[in-house]
């Protein structure tokens, strides 16, 4: 059904299909989802929402009850949640969708555990360090499950790290940032490099090339990020720098 739908969309884009006969063609090509496919979609959506809500619930629970919980209780709460998620991951190792959703829960719990460690022991004075270590720790999981949702979350962490770091200091990778213009160009370049890396990986290192070409959400997200930064740079550069100066914190 998905192959028929992709072919049909390609014909529509190439103006090979008459719009008057589109409904008949979709029906004859079996390009509409059937009830079983809608049920599977609902199950997967509810699974992802449940895992994300549980991870967020753990974070907000110990954040709201911070003063009432001891140090041992705080760590025990998060670590027990990590342990339960890990056992569930092993239990449903044969279910691809459950594995990806559970890894997303582990990703959120990892961030909460790192934030708890930093808040308790004051290990990181700068906020960018939390997001950098968070992205580093979840990289092996993202490589294992190869989920576009986790990769997009990883890209968000990378961009957040860079934004916070550049806002903190003017020095980055041997460049000296005299204005926000150069910083925006650097962010655009980094997202473009990540885009090229994912494209090379999808084309030359993935066994299922057709599946990789159909799922391009991470590439699309990186393109959107690069275009966003280059657009903001174009808008900023057209203004009088003596009158209109924008820092990254205001963008």
């Amino acid at each position: 059904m998905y192959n028929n739908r992709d072919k049909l969309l390609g014909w529509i884009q190439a103006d090979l299909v008459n719009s008057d006969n589109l409904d008949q063609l979709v029906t004859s090509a079996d390009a509409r989802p059937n009830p079983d496919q809608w049920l599977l979609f609902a199950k997967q959506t509810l699974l992802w929402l449940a895992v994300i809500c549980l991870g967020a619930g753990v974070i907000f629970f110990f954040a709201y009850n911070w003063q009432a919980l001891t140090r041992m209780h705080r760590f025990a709460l998060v670590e027990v949640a990590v342990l339960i998620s890990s056992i569930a991951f092993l239990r449903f190792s044969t279910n691809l969708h459950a594995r990806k959703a559970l890894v997303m829960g582990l990703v959120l719990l990892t961030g909460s555990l790192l934030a708890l460690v930093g808040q308790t022991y004051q290990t990181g004075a700068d906020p960018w360090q939390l997001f950098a270590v968070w992205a580093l720790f979840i990289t092996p999981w993202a490589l294992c499950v190869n989920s576009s949702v986790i990769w997009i979350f990883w890209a968000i962490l990378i961009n957040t790290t860079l934004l916070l770091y550049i806002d903190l200091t003017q020095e980055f990778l041997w460049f000296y940032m005299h204005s926000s213009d150069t910083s925006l160009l650097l962010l655009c370049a980094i997202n473009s490099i990540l885009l090229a890396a994912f494209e090379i990986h999808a084309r030359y290192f993935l066994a299922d090339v057709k599946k990789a070409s159909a799922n391009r959400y991470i590439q699309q997200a990186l393109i959107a990020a690069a275009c966003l930064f280059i657009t903001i740079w174009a808008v900023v550069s057209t203004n009088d720098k003596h009158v209109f100066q924008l820092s990254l914190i205001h963008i």
Side-chain angles (χ1 to χ4, degrees):
M1 187 274 292
Y2 288 102
N3 292 333
N4 293 339
R5 185 189 302 172
D6 294 338
K7 292 179 181 179
L8 183 58
L9 290 175
W11 294 343
I12 294 173
Q13 292 176 355
D15 274 338
L16 299 177
V17 176
N18 188 354
S19 59
D20 297 334
N21 301 325
L22 183 58
D23 291 337
Q24 182 180 358
L25 182 60
V26 169
T27 303
S28 60
D30 192 22
R32 285 195 176 95
N34 55 46
D36 292 336
Q37 291 167 339
W38 277 115
L39 180 60
L40 178 61
F41 172 77
K43 288 180 178 179
Q44 294 176 3
T45 303
L46 291 174
L47 175 63
W48 278 91
L49 290 176
V51 170
I52 294 174
C53 289
L54 285 174
V58 171
I59 297 173
F60 284 105
F61 178 82
F62 76 77
Y64 183 79
N65 299 281
W66 183 267
Q67 299 298 332
L69 297 173
T70 64
R71 180 182 300 177
M72 184 64 67
H73 290 154
R74 297 167 192 164
F75 281 100
L77 177 64
V78 183
E79 290 172 0
V80 167
V82 172
L83 180 61
I84 293 175
S85 300
S86 302
I87 295 174
F89 177 80
L90 295 175
R91 171 65 178 80
F92 298 101
S93 59
T94 57
N95 190 324
L96 180 60
H97 299 293
R99 287 177 54 199
K100 292 181 178 181
L102 288 169
V103 169
M104 187 63 199
L106 286 170
V107 166
L108 296 176
L109 292 173
T110 300
S112 64
L113 184 59
L114 291 173
L116 180 59
V117 171
Q119 186 67 26
T120 304
Y121 300 104
Q122 299 297 320
T123 56
D126 301 321
W128 68 269
Q129 297 175 0
L130 168 64
F131 296 97
V133 176
W134 192 357
L136 178 64
F137 278 12
I138 70 173
T139 301
W141 291 341
L143 290 171
C144 288
V145 298
N146 196 26
S147 171
S148 58
V149 177
I150 298 176
W151 277 122
I152 290 174
F153 189 81
W154 179 86
I156 292 174
L157 292 178
I158 294 296
N159 280 275
T160 304
T161 301
L162 295 173
L163 285 169
L164 292 174
Y165 186 87
I166 294 176
D167 183 64
L168 179 68
T169 176
Q170 296 287 320
E171 298 177 3
F172 182 68
L173 294 178
W174 303 289
F175 290 99
Y176 188 80
M177 304 300 172
H178 294 285
S179 67
S180 63
D181 293 10
T182 314
S183 304
L184 292 168
L185 287 176
L186 179 62
L187 290 167
C188 177
I190 290 176
N191 282 277
S192 300
I193 292 172
L194 291 175
L195 171 63
F198 277 100
E199 284 288 349
I200 293 173
H201 178 264
R203 181 176 293 271
Y204 297 106
F205 295 98
L206 287 183
D208 195 345
V209 179
K210 292 183 178 180
K211 184 177 179 181
S213 61
N215 187 350
R216 300 174 57 83
Y217 300 124
I218 176 60
Q219 289 94 328
Q220 293 166 356
L222 290 171
I223 289 175
C227 292
L228 173 65
F229 290 124
I230 197 67
T231 302
I232 297 175
W233 170 82
V235 172
V236 172
S237 62
T238 57
N239 291 274
D240 187 359
K241 295 182 180 181
H242 297 288
V243 178
F244 187 65
Q245 283 288 342
L246 289 178
S247 63
L248 287 177
I249 195 63
H250 294 137
I251 295 176

